[in-house]
């Protein structure tokens, strides 16, 4: 053999067809793992290196042929029918962002629900294989859940948000540390000094305590007056009862809430400023952090397709996290200390 080795050289050395070698080098599940390892070892011994541009193009062409001209990416949801994910505007924005971006690239996004009638993880995998769908975006899990009971081997998978703790996958999420630190900085710039923070322990764990970490880091920069004890009950459902006593004891002049605490807003006096770490619009009446959920969906769509084109299938040894910074929305609920804001019902959206 002279010059740069090609796939036919590997096929001759391994004793397999060129098609089998191609599938093996792409990690395709139709080729036994032992055979894939053998062929990969021979390819490395020969010094074979795939052209990444050609590999990406061929992968896209194969997907388009199999689905009549358009690569399909599965959008995996798991909310129960009693609590549909489409009731939450930020989840809808994530889906819309991913679908729009994939459509711009010439692909399409299709929802598959683990909570559909008669659906099981095994049946869902069979459907995906039958449809020749190998790319998956995992939507945020229902509150309190952190595990997806699905075998992702043979799938190029990307998660939206930080709810998936197991198995370890690549995820696209808001930079929660940056967002809460930015919220504190903006409150200080507006004149607030007694900055309260309200979040349940179970919500904080879901985000690896990144909101809490950003808050604590930021208040340390602005002197002891800003360092109020956060209100962090164990369960989300316990916050409402604990809030009045915490307000009386610590007298914050502004309160920072997570994006799952909207029901607490009406319990905060109008003499206290109000900030949400998850406002759902860039022009929201509520002051806080806009996470740009549609952008998160777009980035997740791009990463899912990139993994598909580079044959990056299966789970990871350690999770990979891609962070998107939040932006401050002035809103109308932080008029400044000692200034009364309008009641929540009158201004919040």
């Amino acid at each position: 053999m002279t010059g740069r080795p090609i796939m036919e050289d590997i096929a001759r050395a391994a004793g397999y067809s060129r098609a089998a070698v191609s599938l093996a080098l792409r990690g395709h599940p139709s080729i036994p793992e032992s055979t894939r390892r053998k062929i990969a070892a021979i390819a490395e011994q020969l010094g074979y290196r795939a052209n990444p541009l050609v590999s990406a193009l061929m992968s896209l062409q194969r997907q388009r042929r199999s689905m009549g001209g358009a690569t399909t990416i599965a959008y995996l949801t798991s909310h129960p029918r009693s609590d549909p994910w489409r009731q939450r505007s930020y989840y809808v924005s994530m889906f819309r962002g991913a679908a729009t971006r994939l459509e711009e690239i010439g692909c399409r996004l299709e929802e598959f629900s683990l909570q559909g009638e008669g659906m099981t993880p095994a049946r869902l995998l069979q459907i995906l294989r039958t449809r020749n769908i190998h790319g998956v975006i995992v939507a945020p899990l229902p509150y309190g859940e952190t595990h997806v009971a699905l075998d992702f081997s043979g799938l190029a998978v990307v998660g939206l948000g930080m709810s998936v703790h197991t198995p370890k996958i690549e995820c696209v999420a808001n930079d929660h540390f940056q967002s809460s630190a930015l919220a504190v900085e903006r409150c200080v710039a507006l004149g607030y000094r007694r900055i309260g923070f309200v979040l349940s322990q179970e919500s904080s764990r879901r985000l690896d305590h990144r909101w809490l970490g950003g808050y604590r880091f930021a208040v340390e920069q602005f002197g002891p007056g800003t360092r109020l004890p956060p209100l962090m009950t164990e369960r989300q459902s316990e916050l409402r009862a604990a809030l009045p006593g915490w307000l009386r004891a610590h007298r914050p002049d502004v309160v920072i809430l997570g994006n799952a605490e909207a029901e607490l807003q009406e319990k905060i006096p109008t003499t206290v400023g109000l900030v949400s770490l998850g406002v759902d619009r860039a022009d929201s009446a509520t002051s806080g952090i806009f996470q740009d959920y549609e952008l998160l969906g777009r980035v997740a769509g791009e990463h899912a397709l990139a993994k598909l084109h580079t044959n990056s299938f299966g789970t990871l040894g350690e999770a990979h996290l891609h962070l998107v910074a939040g932006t401050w929305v002035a809103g109308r609920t932080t008029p400044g200390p000692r200034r009364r804001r309008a009641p929540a019902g009158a201004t919040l959206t």
Side-chain angles (χ1 to χ4, degrees):
M1 181 183 67
T2 60
R4 183 176 179 177
I6 60 177
M7 203 169 293
E8 283 79 359
D9 298 321
I10 303 171
R12 281 193 295 271
Y16 292 97
S17 68
R18 186 191 183 284
V21 169
S22 176
L23 290 171
L25 293 179
R26 289 190 283 119
H28 199 278
S30 65
I31 304 297
E33 184 178 352
S34 59
T35 303
R36 296 201 303 265
R37 286 199 301 266
K38 175 183 175 181
I39 291 175
I42 293 173
E44 183 162 350
Q45 184 180 7
L46 294 176
Y48 173 78
R49 294 291 182 272
N51 184 320
L53 296 178
V54 173
S55 296
L57 178 60
M58 294 303 295
S59 177
L60 181 60
Q61 289 177 339
R62 283 190 294 269
Q63 287 281 333
R64 286 181 171 174
R65 282 197 301 267
S66 67
M67 290 304 299
T71 300
T72 297
I73 302 293
Y75 191 77
L76 181 63
T77 63
S78 53
H79 274 72
R81 281 173 285 181
S82 59
D83 181 26
W85 62 271
R86 284 185 173 84
Q87 287 185 345
R88 294 166 177 78
S89 60
Y90 41 93
Y91 288 167
V92 173
S93 294
M94 289 180 186
F95 177 83
R96 182 171 60 243
T100 300
R101 181 60 183 135
L102 288 170
E103 184 177 349
E104 291 169 355
I105 300 172
C107 305
R108 61 188 177 193
L109 188 67
E110 182 176 344
E111 182 189 359
F112 293 85
S113 174
L114 277 169
Q115 295 294 326
E117 186 174 354
M119 185 63 72
T120 65
R123 183 176 179 222
L124 177 58
L125 280 177
Q126 184 60 47
I127 291 172
L128 295 179
R129 287 168 182 160
T130 301
R131 296 273 306 276
N132 202 22
I133 296 173
H134 300 291
V136 176
I137 296 175
V138 180
L141 303 181
Y143 190 80
E145 295 187 17
T146 58
H147 174 72
V148 180
L150 195 70
D151 178 9
F152 286 121
S153 59
L155 295 172
V157 57
V158 174
L160 262 171
M162 293 185 59
S163 59
V164 180
H165 291 192
T166 56
K168 302 295 186 183
I169 61 173
E170 182 174 329
C171 291
V172 176
N174 171 250
D175 187 343
H176 297 93
F177 186 100
Q178 174 267 345
S179 291
S180 59
L182 176 60
V184 172
E185 292 169 10
R186 296 310 304 161
C187 286
V188 170
L190 289 166
Y192 294 105
R193 289 299 179 267
R194 299 183 62 79
I195 302 172
F197 181 82
V198 175
L199 188 72
S200 69
Q201 292 282 358
E202 61 182 357
S203 292
S204 191
R205 285 192 296 270
R206 184 176 168 98
L207 303 178
D208 289 337
H209 305 292
R210 293 172 186 267
W211 266 341
L212 177 62
Y215 166 78
R216 284 181 168 164
F217 169 81
V219 296
E220 286 295 319
Q221 316 305 308
F222 299 110
T226 58
R227 302 173 196 166
L228 302 183
L231 172 59
M232 297 189 70
T233 59
E234 173 59 30
R235 300 191 178 282
Q236 181 76 17
S237 58
E238 298 167 348
L239 284 173
R240 189 178 183 90
L243 181 62
W246 177 82
L247 289 169
R248 288 192 300 270
H250 301 292
R251 297 176 291 106
D253 55 13
V254 65
V255 172
I256 298 175
L257 302 171
N259 62 351
E261 286 74 33
E263 74 279 3
L264 301 179
Q265 294 176 352
E266 63 184 27
K267 291 294 183 179
I268 298 174
T270 57
T271 54
V272 177
L274 181 63
V275 171
S276 169
L277 291 173
V279 299
D280 59 1
R281 299 204 319 260
D283 61 349
S284 171
T286 307
S287 304
I289 301 298
F290 176 52
Q291 297 186 21
D292 200 342
Y293 302 102
E294 194 159 330
L295 175 60
L296 293 176
R298 291 177 67 88
V299 174
E302 291 172 352
H303 278 277
L305 196 59
K307 288 175 72 71
L308 188 62
H309 287 175
T310 56
N311 305 313
S312 300
F313 299 126
T315 56
L316 305 170
E318 291 295 334
H320 295 179
L321 187 59
H322 304 275
L323 300 178
V324 178
T327 56
W328 174 256
V329 175
R332 298 198 296 273
T333 58
T334 49
R338 297 175 296 281
R339 295 183 63 184
R340 186 178 294 275
R341 60 176 173 81
T347 63
L348 300 187
T349 59

